[in-house]
């Protein structure tokens, strides 16, 4: 761990060379913080990797009022990284001060800590970076005629000289961690580090579209983002116009805070959080509360382990935010977490609803994509309800005509627990989902012996006539959803008995797969698998669930474990990952012919699901073709 470094050579720093650059009589803006303020700062390690250097330097440039910030990498981010800005620059005296620990122009008293508006405030970044690299600071304040260049290696000043340059600041870092080899071991691949640097530049470019950002690698342009008006234009420049078109603005304000941003529909998701960027008062932050609020807004429109696209900016009185809880300043704490959480859920929900409206009551149902077209199932021709007394359209569930009632969308699930984190675990989530969505769906039709006429198209889709048109069901993803929910239920409440194999199947697995299997075994057992370890790398399978039709001498289980590994690496919880991989490999496939009874069963099971419109991976399950739409296409209207 890199903690407290000895301060830079104090002799060299306290006696700046007197040159003609020292022409201003103004006192330096930078001051050493008094010890009582230093004591209140979460100090310590700031620099973990090249991207942290990029982040600190870019933040300094922003604080300095730069209009243009250029980041250049050569070879690899730890080998050479330079940040150049056209901001306020520093006088010679300030340049020396900037290299001293706890020297900052952004804070004077402890009270200032309560109303931090700048990104920096500790006066630690520059000295810390200079301590662990070969560091060159070149800077000029517009108030002086020439600039100052100071070279530092491992914390010791090597040279200092006046230099001619435009106003602004350039910081160049070479050979990061050259004197702390242990740190180097924690670096990722060059490409991974470059990705992280790119992400820093992109993130600040999103929140500050008025600043020109540039990023180059070995003199090739990676990003060139000239100033634009607003977040949407910046997002289009970064993510491409196609993706940007699929986003809706988030805009919300109450007496305490303001939320702005862009989000995508439930189909625009990823297995990691790279698609989510949060800013609080202009600072790029990481805060589990924010991610979880966004997640709640999508509720079960998206499977576990998937993360919706979201760029969220929150602005609130700095008194309510503590940015001083963590050395890298990326983690923050809200003093009124519940309000922030609730507001963010409402803000994102309103945006998702907007997305539903924008897509309109068109032919296609975007699964859970906000407001579903009115009356999606409200007109099921073959009443999917046992309650014959209630004609279609008149019953309670049918009145909602969709996934979730608007009133329900508008009511955030309140955060539970002391931590303020709302996630009360998968079971509670599932229960909440059941209460919320289950109610909005018609109950399951089962009139024994009575089959609804359904058609199978190309052994892939099930066509299901309803009053207002026709539903097209993707048989594979529909079955996947059904099995996924059944598997979760079996793991949590009703374990199933398996079907014994005539001869136990002995399989050899890679060591990592064995680990996965051992971890998942209790879940698999509840699904009906009987798997026993018979050697360091061998298992014997004695029984499998009756639903498994494609055992293929164990290939099934090997495929399942492979998918399981992927799901886990993508961040899915154990049960969800097991359920998803089991469902994925057990479900009927595209191309499997289905009989009428099987199709009836599937459609029936599907509509009994908690989330009948999106598969565990977020793909649509049902598409509706409305009569109105057909009429339009045939020119009847
Ligand atoms: P902090 O940002 O917390 O104040 P730093 O060590 O990052 O601490 O920087 C120390 C000081 O150096 C800043 O307060 C600022 O006055 C000055 N400084 C750093 N980078 C720049 C820059 N790019 N342009 C102008 N001044 C800068
Ligand atoms: Mg700083």
């Amino acid at each position: 761990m890199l903690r407290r470094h000895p301060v830079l050579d104090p002799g060299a720093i306290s006696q700046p060379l007197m040159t003609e650059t020292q022409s201003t009589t103004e006192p330096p803006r930078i001051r050493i913080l008094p010890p009582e303020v230093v004591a209140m700062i979460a100090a310590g390690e700031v620099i973990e990797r090249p991207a942290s250097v990029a982040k600190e330097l870019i933040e300094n440039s922003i604080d300095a009022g730069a209009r243009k910030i250029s980041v250049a990498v050569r070879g690899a981010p730890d080998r050479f990284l330079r940040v150049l800005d056209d901001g306020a620059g520093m006088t010679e005296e300030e340049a020396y001060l900037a290299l001293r620990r706890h020297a900052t122009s952004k804070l004077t008293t402890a009270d200032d800590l309560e109303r931090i508006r700048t990104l920096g405030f500790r006066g630690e970044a520059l000295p810390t970076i200079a301590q662990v690299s070969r560091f060159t600071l070149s800077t000029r304040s517009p108030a002086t005629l020439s600039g100052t260049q100071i070279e530092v290696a491992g914390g010791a000043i090597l040279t200092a000289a006046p230099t001619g340059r435009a106003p602004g600041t350039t910081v160049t870092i070479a050979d990061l961690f050259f004197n702390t080899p242990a740190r180097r071991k924690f670096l990722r691949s060059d490409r991974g580090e470059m990705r992280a640097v790119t992400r820093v530049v992109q993130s600040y470019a999103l929140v500050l579209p008025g600043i020109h950002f540039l990023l180059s690698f070995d003199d090739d342009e990676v990003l060139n983002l000239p100033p634009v008006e607003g977040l949407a234009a910046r997002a289009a420049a970064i993510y491409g116009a196609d993706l940007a078109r699929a986003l809706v603005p988030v805009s919300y304000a109450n007496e305490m805070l303001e939320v702005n941003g862009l989000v995508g529909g439930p189909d625009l998701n990823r297995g990691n959080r790279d698609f989510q960027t949060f800013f609080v008062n202009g600072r790029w932050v990481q805060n589990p509360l924010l991610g979880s609020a966004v997640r709640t807004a999508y509720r079960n429109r998206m499977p576990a382990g998937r993360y919706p696209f979201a760029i969220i900016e929150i602005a609130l009185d700095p008194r309510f935010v503590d940015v001083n809880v963590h050395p890298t300043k990326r983690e923050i704490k809200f003093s009124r977490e519940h309000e922030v959480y609730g507001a963010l859920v409402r803000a994102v929900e309103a945006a998702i609803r907007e997305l539903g409206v924008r897509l309109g009551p068109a032919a296609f149902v975007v699964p859970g994509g906000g407001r579903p077209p009115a009356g999606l199932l409200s007109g099921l021709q073959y009443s999917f309800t046992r309650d014959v007394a209630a004609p279609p359209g008149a019953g309670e569930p049918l009145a909602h005509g969709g996934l979730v009632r608007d009133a329900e969308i508008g009511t955030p699930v309140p955060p539970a627990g002391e931590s303020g984190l709302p996630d009360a675990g998968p079971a509670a989530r599932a229960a909440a989902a059941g209460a919320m969505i289950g109610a909005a769906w018609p109950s399951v039709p089962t009139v024994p012996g009575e089959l609804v006429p359904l058609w199978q198209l190309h052994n892939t889709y099930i066509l299901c006539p309803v009053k207002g048109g026709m539903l097209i069901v993707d048989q594979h993803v529909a079955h996947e959803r059904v099995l996924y929910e059944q598997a979760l239920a079996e793991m949590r409440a009703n374990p199933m008995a398996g079907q014994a194999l005539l001869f136990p199947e002995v399989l050899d697995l890679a060591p990592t797969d064995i680990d996965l299997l051992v971890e998942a075994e209790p879940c698999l057992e509840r699904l009906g698998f009987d798997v026993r370890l018979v050697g360091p790398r061998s298992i014997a399978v004695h029984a499998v669930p009756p639903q498994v039709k494609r055992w293929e001498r164990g290939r099934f289980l090997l495929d399942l474990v492979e998918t399981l590994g992927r799901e886990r690496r993508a961040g899915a919880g154990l049960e969800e990952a097991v359920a998803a991989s089991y469902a994925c490999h057990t479900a009927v496939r595209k191309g499997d012919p289905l009989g009428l009874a099987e199709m009836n069963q599937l459609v029936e099971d599907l509509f009994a699901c908690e989330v009948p419109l999106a598969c565990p991976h977020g793909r649509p399950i049902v598409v509706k073709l409305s009569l109105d739409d057909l009429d339009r296409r045939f020119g009847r209207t």
Side-chain angles (χ1 to χ4, degrees), residues 301-347:
R301 296 150 196 237
M302 204 172 276
R306 305 297 299 180
Y307 301 91
F309 183 102
I311 303 167
I312 301 289
E313 296 175 34
I314 296 177
L316 78 175
D317 188 322
R319 277 184 300 130
F320 298 129
V321 194
D322 190 353
V323 291
N324 187 25
V325 291
H326 192 265
T328 69
K329 295 172 286 175
R330 273 207 68 195
E331 283 168 36
I332 51 156
K333 228 172 108 38
F334 294 102
S335 59
R336 288 162 63 183
E337 295 195 317
H338 283 50
E339 281 96 324
V340 174
Y341 179 86
L344 184 51
V345 174
R346 276 190 291 277

Side-chain angles (χ1 to χ4, degrees), residues 256-329:
M256 181 191 163
L257 52 74
E258 211 182 297
V259 183
N260 286 293
L262 288 171
V263 293
D267 46 335
L268 196 59
N269 63 61
R270 280 230 172 131
N272 59 41
R273 291 181 175 81
D274 281 359
F275 252 14
Q276 301 196 337
T277 318
F278 296 103
F279 304 95
V280 172
N281 289 343
R283 179 189 306 280
W284 181 36
V285 298
Q286 247 166 357
N287 180 296
L289 181 87
L290 301 180
S292 141
V294 168
R295 182 74 232 181
T296 298
Y298 286 79
R299 291 213 178 82
N300 41 9
R301 296 150 196 237
M302 204 172 276
R306 305 297 299 180
Y307 301 91
F309 183 102
I311 303 167
I312 301 289
E313 296 175 34
I314 296 177
L316 78 175
D317 188 322
R319 277 184 300 130
F320 298 129
V321 194
D322 190 353
V323 291
N324 187 25
V325 291
H326 192 265
T328 69
K329 295 172 286 175

Side-chain angles (χ1 to χ4, degrees), residues 139-140 145 197 226 293 364 390 442 514 524:
T139 185
R140 184 185 142 201
L145 292 173
V197 170
F364 298 102
I514 289 279
L524 292 170

Side-chain angles (χ1 to χ4, degrees), residues 30 60 64 85 90 98 103-106 120-127 169:
I30 305 180
N60 280 347
D85 71 49
M90 289 174 263
T104 179
S105 55
K106 305 171 191 174
F121 55 87
R122 297 192 179 115
E124 280 200 318
L126 292 186
T169 302

